[in-house]
Amino acid sequence: MTPNRVTSNRTVRRFTTVVAVALLTGLALGTAPTYGADRAAHLPEFDFSACPTIAELPAGADPGTWRCEVMHATGHLRMGAVDEPLTEPMKITFAEGRVGGEFRQVFGKMTAEPIRVGRTPLTLTSQYGGYSDFLSDDTRRGEFDIKFAIGLAHGPLNLTSSGCSVGSGEDAVHLVLKDTHPTRVISKDPLVLAFGAQDAEFAAPRTSDCGPLSRALDRALGLPSPAGANTFDMDVTVAIRPYI
């Protein structure tokens, strides 16, 4: 897979499913499951400032048919010796729509807070690995590449500035997400959906760009870790806003 900011059409349904399309176009939802008003009243704050601009949409894109999505994902990461909850959300922003009948996507931004690795001074921070495809099919919800910047919760060394990480732009952790909970409508105004997803089959490489600390970090983190020994569980909420 070649990392690309714009993702072309490849399959039949969107990451957040046709529920979002029905709501955005004012069509009937039928029996689409919803949460009560009490849940909608406690929505997190979604920041749309990282949405790709209209100028960054693909040539030929009609902004009136495109939308920006801001995804918040919490959950749990088990990777090698790492077994930690993700209590602070990863935040992923991207745009999607069609050009000439083909589904296209433009990645915006990904941010996350560091998570502490057990009782060690190490932290891992999720970062975008350079590839995403949030168009779903019957076999997966979507997929994207991720890397984990390695840092220290305290101490004189700054590992993050050296690019020390699990995975890299050339050898990222590739996640193929499958549904664990179907899409639910949390709010219609603003439009917010929720679902669960998991990858229990990804492989995790050795650390990269960590210099003389590489072997020690690999031992501490239990890396490399083969496919089938790791799990990334996500509880996801997605806010959707049309461009026009």
Side-chain angles (χ1 to χ4, degrees):
M1 267 178 246
T2 302
N4 196 328
R5 185 171 169 83
V6 178
T7 303
S8 64
N9 184 35
R10 194 172 67 81
T11 186
V12 294
R13 65 185 175 90
R14 296 177 46 241
F15 190 57
T16 46
T17 79
V18 294
V19 174
V21 178
L23 285 168
L24 283 171
T25 57
L27 300 177
L29 286 175
T31 58
T34 61
Y35 281 116
D38 56 331
R39 178 67 182 267
H42 295 88
L43 290 174
E45 222 175 280
F46 292 95
D47 182 4
F48 286 89
S49 65
C51 290
T53 66
I54 290 178
E56 292 177 305
L57 301 183
D62 175 4
T65 64
W66 276 64
R67 58 201 154 268
C68 183
E69 304 196 9
V70 180
M71 184 174 80
H72 288 191
T74 56
H76 199 100
L77 174 65
R78 184 167 61 85
M79 179 181 68
V82 179
D83 191 355
E84 299 295 335
L86 305 176
T87 56
E88 295 297 323
M90 295 190 308
K91 299 177 181 180
I92 300 174
T93 305
F94 60 96
E96 59 178 25
R98 291 186 179 273
V99 178
E102 292 190 349
F103 187 87
R104 305 288 295 274
Q105 297 171 343
V106 181
F107 192 84
K109 186 178 181 181
M110 175 177 176
T111 61
E113 295 296 322
I115 60 171
R116 186 75 172 265
V117 179
R119 297 182 179 181
T120 75
L122 298 175
T123 64
L124 295 177
T125 304
S126 301
Q127 296 181 341
Y128 182 52
Y131 174 85
S132 64
D133 180 359
F134 293 137
L135 189 62
S136 305
D137 60 23
D138 291 336
T139 64
R140 91 285 194 276
R141 166 70 70 163
E143 53 188 275
F144 69 102
D145 286 355
I146 193 171
K147 59 184 180 178
F148 300 91
I150 302 172
L152 292 175
H154 52 77
L157 293 177
N158 186 347
L159 297 175
T160 306
S161 65
S162 69
C164 178
S165 62
V166 180
S168 65
E170 294 73 34
D171 187 20
V173 175
H174 182 65
L175 297 178
V176 180
L177 299 170
K178 298 184 178 181
D179 286 326
T180 55
H181 300 291
T183 301
R184 294 94 67 196
V185 181
I186 294 179
S187 168
K188 297 180 185 179
D189 186 17
L191 176 54
V192 181
L193 309 178
F195 59 88
Q198 178 192 79
D199 185 346
E201 300 175 6
F202 71 92
R206 298 181 185 276
T207 56
S208 298
D209 299 318
C210 298
L213 295 176
S214 294
R215 289 187 180 181
L217 290 171
D218 285 341
R219 286 195 298 269
L221 297 172
L223 300 173
S225 185
N230 314 296
T231 305
F232 205 146
D233 285 294
M234 295 184 184
D235 294 314
V236 180
T237 55
V238 182
I240 302 171
R241 188 177 73 180
Y243 271 87
I244 296 178

